[in-house]
Amino acid sequence: MASAAAAEEEATLEALAYTLIRITSLLLLGYVSARHLLPPGAQSGISAFVGTLALPALLFSSIAILQWDAVDWTIVAAVMLAKALTLACCVGVGVLITPRPANAGAEILNGAVLALLAVSSDDLGLGLPVMSALYGRGSRYVSQLFVIVPLHNLLVNPALLSLLALGCAQRRSSAGGGRAELGPILRGVLRGLAGNPLVLAVIAGLATNLAGVARRGHAPTALPRALAEVSSALGDAYPATVLVLAGMASVGSSEPLLSARSLATPALAVLLKCAVFPLATRTLALALGPLVSGAATPTETLDFAFLYGTLATSNVALVIASCYELAPKTVGLVAATLSLSKLVGFPLLLVSAAVYQLSSPASAIAVSTNLERATHGISLLSCAMVLAGGTLQGAWRPAGAPAGVRGLASALGSAGGSRQGGAPSSTATLRRVGVLAVRCSA
């Protein structure tokens, strides 16, 4: 019995690890595609498809058949309250870190950008595959994501957008000698939300769900087949497409991370996102359990609350920041924070899941051994791609050296052991490949 439980734990954690490998591979594919494969305008087209069709279809189809008895309101309340408290904390931190004397609107903008990065979790692009790997696609914990996402769009995003708009308005009014008024700003934000495809999809899915409850006494278990086919085709395209898009958006985002001065803001935002927010979510789930359900919060629920908090920042933060009149340096820092949050968040998520899921050191060693074999293969493939790309494109060739395939043949031949006519000997070639494999696997 114990061995069966250990095997299940190992399988769960391995599924999470391979999910993170898949996510990382798609991010790298997007990065390479933006640099070498796709035209410059491809990113805007893919972004429009994801935000206008794929994500709304996924939200609509999921909310329309959401079973309300599967919703854990302790988790939902803890997450939303943690987002509100973290947002307020970020606004205060923004005031503290703004240099004096400060320009008009600078304090609000700094706080709003920090809050945008700290509370905007990648619930569906990253959270959906990760939580599905940990708990199963039909688990009630996965269902919480489709409640949290609409509430975030309806409650948290308006507050973030209002803060950003207020900061930009104060800066403009200071330059023009006028005064920024909150009323027109709020009306503008609400008008924008009214035409947002995500909000419309949430409203349509909720209306479909409640109509089923009123007619049958419970939420629909499935959509009409024609509607389900269309929404499923669009929704199924979202997970991979949004990760490729995130990789494309990361091009050039690492530059601010190379400077100690520029690194301070992304590091602070990642600290708030990957440390403060998860701890706040778990603590609030522990405190709210007796109030919401009348019983102590289960340990598995607390674990889920913490794991949810460690999810990396969503790329929607970069989209929102790009829509406002922020300085190019600020937008660059937002992009850098997204990359840093993934570098920090992925290992933290894997370690946290290992702590919560594995009950013995032997299980951890078994999972580590299996993952080591997989990463060795990935390392060998990556080395081969780097060497082939550098040789064929001429990145490592001195000036005047032959390019392309003939350059590769010349390089292999001159490195030792070539036949007459310049063709490399098979023995020398195999020796070089063997040395490469040994070094990569060492």
Side-chain angles (χ1 to χ4, degrees):
M1 196 73 175
S3 60
E8 185 177 354
E9 293 172 355
E10 295 170 15
T12 299
L13 195 61
E14 284 185 23
L16 172 62
Y18 280 106
T19 298
L20 292 178
I21 291 174
R22 184 181 78 236
I23 290 171
T24 304
S25 301
L26 290 172
L27 290 171
L28 291 175
L29 178 61
Y31 180 88
V32 173
S33 299
R35 290 291 300 270
H36 303 292
L37 302 178
L38 298 178
Q43 183 174 338
S44 60
I46 296 174
S47 178
F49 167 76
V50 169
T52 308
L53 295 176
L55 181 53
L58 178 62
L59 284 176
F60 168 76
S61 59
S62 301
I63 295 173
I65 60 173
L66 179 66
Q67 304 301 312
W68 296 103
D69 55 354
V71 177
D72 190 330
W73 294 108
T74 300
I75 293 176
V76 174
V79 168
M80 299 311 298
L81 188 54
K83 286 177 181 283
L85 293 177
T86 306
L87 191 154
C89 175
C90 289
V91 172
V93 172
V95 173
L96 294 176
I97 66 174
T98 302
R100 301 291 188 275
N103 297 325
E107 295 176 347
I108 294 179
L109 282 177
N110 287 337
V113 170
L114 274 179
L116 180 66
L117 294 169
V119 303
S120 299
S121 299
D122 194 357
D123 297 334
L124 297 181
L126 177 61
L128 185 59
V130 164
M131 298 307 173
S132 297
L134 284 174
Y135 299 104
R137 184 65 176 87
S139 168
R140 68 187 185 93
Y141 290 110
V142 176
S143 301
Q144 314 311 311
L145 299 176
F146 295 104
V147 180
I148 294 171
V149 170
L151 290 176
H152 179 90
N153 285 322
L154 296 174
L155 300 178
V156 179
N157 272 351
L160 294 171
L161 298 177
S162 299
L163 287 172
L164 288 169
L166 180 60
C168 292
Q170 286 185 351
R171 187 176 58 191
R172 286 195 306 269
S173 61
S174 175
R179 181 186 176 193
E181 296 184 4
L182 186 59
I185 291 173
L186 292 177
R187 287 194 293 271
V189 170
L190 293 176
R191 279 198 301 270
L193 289 174
N196 190 311
L198 300 182
V199 175
L200 296 177
V202 169
I203 294 174
L206 188 59
T208 303
N209 189 296
L210 295 180
V213 172
R215 188 181 309 120
R216 305 182 189 90
H218 60 82
T221 56
L223 292 171
R225 182 168 182 178
L227 183 59
E229 291 287 343
V230 175
S231 60
S232 176
L234 292 172
D236 290 346
Y238 174 79
T241 308
V242 74
L243 293 172
V244 171
L245 182 63
M248 296 174 69
S250 67
V251 174
S253 63
S254 61
E255 294 180 7
L257 302 178
L258 303 178
S259 168
R261 187 171 182 178
S262 300
L263 180 61
T265 299
L268 177 60
V270 170
L271 176 66
L272 291 168
K273 178 67 187 74
C274 294
V276 175
F277 181 60
L279 291 173
T281 306
R282 193 181 195 278
T283 302
L284 288 169
L286 179 63
L288 291 174
L291 298 177
V292 175
S293 61
T297 308
T299 303
E300 190 178 33
T301 300
L302 297 177
D303 296 345
F304 172 84
F306 185 86
L307 291 173
Y308 171 83
T310 61
L311 294 176
T313 305
S314 172
N315 276 67
V316 173
L318 181 60
V319 176
I320 293 175
S322 302
C323 294
Y324 287 84
E325 301 170 3
L326 301 179
K329 181 181 178 181
T330 302
V331 178
L333 289 176
V334 171
T337 304
L338 297 178
S339 298
L340 185 61
S341 70
K342 292 178 176 64
L343 291 174
V344 175
F346 282 16
L348 178 61
L349 180 62
L350 185 59
V351 170
S352 302
V355 171
Y356 291 141
Q357 295 285 334
L358 299 180
S359 58
S360 66
S363 298
I365 293 173
V367 172
S368 176
T369 302
N370 292 336
L371 291 179
E372 187 177 352
R373 297 193 189 101
T375 53
H376 279 176
I378 295 173
S379 298
L380 285 171
L381 179 61
S382 301
C383 286
M385 292 174 62
V386 169
L387 289 175
T391 303
L392 296 176
Q393 294 185 8
W396 297 342
R397 288 186 291 104
V405 177
R406 280 185 290 179
L408 175 61
S410 176
L412 290 173
S414 62
S418 61
R419 296 176 183 173
Q420 283 187 332
S425 68
S426 59
T427 303
T429 302
L430 291 174
R431 183 166 62 247
R432 285 160 186 72
V433 174
V435 169
L436 172 62
V438 170
R439 289 179 179 175
C440 290
S441 59

